[in-house]
Amino acid sequence: MQKFLFILVFIGQISFAQITIKDSITSYPVSYATISFGNGNGVFADDEGQFIFTKKLYPDIDSLFISALGFKDLNVATNNLPQYLLMQPEAHQLDAVMIANKIDRKFKEEKLKPSLDDDYYNCWLPTIESEIAVYFPKTTSKDQKLTHVLFPIALESKDWEKRNRSNSEKKKFSTLFKVKFYDNNNGVPGNVLTNETIVFRATEKDGDAYDLNVDDYSIYIPENGFFVSLQVLGYTNKDGKLLPNKKYKEIVSKTGGVVKIPTNFRPLLPFTDEVEAKNTYIKRVFINGNNWVKFEKGNQFKSSLLDKNLFNYGIGLTYKTYKDE
């Protein structure tokens, strides 16, 4: 009987901790909203707008900062959190780069190959509070439409035995990512080119690169180029459902203070030296006040990738270049 009561109490605590974010006008769930709190901590809502937050896990957090594309930011106190949080829609002014009737024009398909590498030591370990963006210039004065983005994935390390992992199982992964497209605002990511929420799930079955079809989003390349960004949302179950993220690791420093370390998520993202220009930018809570910073030496980064002159995440593209009529 006591065991049964314990289970009921436990279930009640879990359900109470589950919060749903909704559109204040339509009452539809706000999928994959970002919930930030503390110094670099954060979680994401799933496809149904749900996330789990408890004071037991985060007793020192007194407020949550919630953001999502197409909605006004929301700041709420953690004491007596309601079951539903309502976000107000905000219509962002997207640049009218092209008009729809140009879709039927003749075009030439062009491709930029991704840079692939399975070496663990040449990879970026994505964390839940970081966003990585790669700049692409417009290659012609003609109209161009983006159709596919290829995200390189490192399946496993070539140095598995060297890392004393020869007897370890190479675990399967299933990780959810969020993708955004930005215009070029004086050399850094600016306004989004689409308010659509774009996510994909990467597993080892996808091979060395995930091919994301974006043809239906009508993303036309601005004259001064654009950015493709990637942000890890977390692990998923076998059906692709986003799982609740674990609490950040807490490590006691030499001075006695507690440092919170963000959890890393597979797969790894291989960097390359095949791109001459330094086109990769990073945004992290811990660096430059969560503003975009170019990934290069001297920009507050200490990375073995920079020591090896690996400055770029080698995303590939496929786009349509329209012929003049």
Side-chain angles (χ1 to χ4, degrees), residues 147-172:
T147 59
H148 289 261
V149 183
L150 288 89
F151 295 98
I153 292 172
L155 298 180
E156 289 293 354
S157 172
K158 295 178 181 178
D159 302 308
W160 193 256
E161 294 185 3
K162 186 185 297 184
R163 292 168 55 214
N164 297 320
R165 304 299 300 275
S166 58
N167 296 324
S168 300
E169 180 185 359
K170 296 181 181 180
K171 298 179 180 179
K172 297 179 180 180

Side-chain angles (χ1 to χ4, degrees), residues 11-82:
I11 293 174
Q13 289 176 339
I14 293 298
S15 62
F16 176 79
Q18 182 171 281
I19 302 163
T20 303
I21 304 173
K22 291 187 174 185
D23 185 315
S24 62
I25 296 177
T26 66
S27 294
Y28 291 152
V30 178
S31 302
Y32 307 114
T34 303
I35 301 94
S36 304
F37 48 87
N39 183 16
N41 287 353
V43 296
F44 291 94
D46 62 16
D47 58 318
E48 297 178 353
Q50 297 179 345
F51 71 97
I52 293 176
F53 180 92
T54 67
K55 293 292 286 185
K56 182 177 181 181
L57 282 177
Y58 303 98
D60 56 333
I61 302 301
D62 56 13
S63 63
L64 304 179
F65 182 81
I66 303 172
S67 58
L69 280 176
F71 292 88
K72 294 181 180 179
D73 294 336
L74 180 64
N75 207 340
V76 296
T78 57
N79 287 332
N80 301 317
L81 273 172

Side-chain angles (χ1 to χ4, degrees), residues 26-309:
T26 66
S27 294
Y28 291 152
V30 178
S31 302
Y32 307 114
T34 303
I35 301 94
S36 304
F37 48 87
N39 183 16
N41 287 353
V43 296
F44 291 94
D46 62 16
D47 58 318
E48 297 178 353
Q50 297 179 345
F51 71 97
I52 293 176
F53 180 92
T54 67
K55 293 292 286 185
K56 182 177 181 181
L57 282 177
Y58 303 98
D60 56 333
I61 302 301
D62 56 13
S63 63
L64 304 179
F65 182 81
I66 303 172
S67 58
L69 280 176
F71 292 88
K72 294 181 180 179
D73 294 336
L74 180 64
N75 207 340
V76 296
T78 57
N79 287 332
N80 301 317
L81 273 172
Q83 186 178 358
Y84 299 101
L85 297 176
L86 302 180
M87 298 191 74
Q88 296 182 14
E90 182 178 56
H92 292 283
Q93 185 64 39
L94 298 177
D95 293 333
V97 181
M98 299 292 163
I99 56 178
N101 61 12
K102 293 185 178 180
I103 293 177
D104 294 331
R105 295 166 58 191
K106 294 181 180 180
F107 62 86
K108 177 183 178 182
E109 186 175 78
E110 300 187 51
K111 295 184 178 182
L112 174 65
K113 293 183 178 180
S115 300
L116 309 178
D117 193 341
D118 279 338
D119 190 337
Y120 173 89
Y121 298 101
N122 293 342
C123 293
W124 175 273
L125 281 70
T127 59
I128 203 167
E129 48 78 43
S130 66
E131 186 175 357
I132 183 170
V134 180
Y135 170 72
F136 294 94
K138 196 169 187 290
T139 60
T140 177
S141 59
K142 297 180 180 180
D143 300 336
Q144 291 180 303
K145 178 187 176 186
L146 188 65
T147 59
H148 289 261
V149 183
L150 288 89
F151 295 98
I153 292 172
L155 298 180
E156 289 293 354
S157 172
K158 295 178 181 178
D159 302 308
W160 193 256
E161 294 185 3
K162 186 185 297 184
R163 292 168 55 214
N164 297 320
R165 304 299 300 275
S166 58
N167 296 324
S168 300
E169 180 185 359
K170 296 181 181 180
K171 298 179 180 179
K172 297 179 180 180
F173 62 83
S174 180
T175 304
L176 198 67
F177 287 92
K178 180 190 289 186
V179 179
K180 295 179 185 176
F181 299 92
Y182 298 98
D183 67 11
N184 180 8
N185 181 20
N186 296 318
V188 296
N191 295 323
V192 292
L193 297 178
T194 174
N195 275 329
E196 297 285 347
T197 299
I198 305 174
V199 299
F200 71 87
R201 180 169 66 111
T203 70
E204 65 274 18
K205 294 181 181 179
D206 297 306
D208 291 327
Y210 185 90
D211 186 349
L212 178 66
N213 187 334
V214 296
D215 197 12
D216 292 339
Y217 296 110
S218 298
I219 301 171
Y220 292 90
I221 301 177
E223 292 299 324
N224 59 347
F226 73 109
F227 291 83
V228 179
S229 90
L230 191 64
Q231 187 175 24
V232 65
L233 299 183
Y235 294 121
T236 78
N237 61 17
K238 63 180 181 179
D239 299 319
K241 182 78 171 180
L242 186 65
L243 297 173
N245 293 312
K246 297 180 180 179
K247 184 179 180 180
Y248 283 29
K249 298 177 182 178
E250 295 185 349
I251 300 177
V252 179
S253 65
K254 294 181 180 179
T255 60
V258 176
V259 179
K260 295 181 179 179
I261 306 298
T263 303
N264 295 321
F265 292 88
R266 296 169 67 195
L268 309 179
L269 307 180
F271 271 50
T272 181
D273 59 2
E274 296 176 357
V275 181
E276 185 175 348
K278 298 171 183 176
N279 292 336
T280 297
Y281 293 71
I282 305 294
K283 186 170 72 168
R284 297 192 64 174
V285 173
F286 302 116
I287 298 174
N288 194 34
N290 201 29
N291 294 311
W292 289 105
V293 178
K294 182 180 286 189
F295 189 68
E296 64 178 350
K297 295 177 182 178
N299 268 359
Q300 307 180 51
F301 289 105
K302 291 183 179 179
S303 171
S304 60
L305 297 175
L306 295 178
D307 295 337
K308 292 185 287 186
N309 294 321

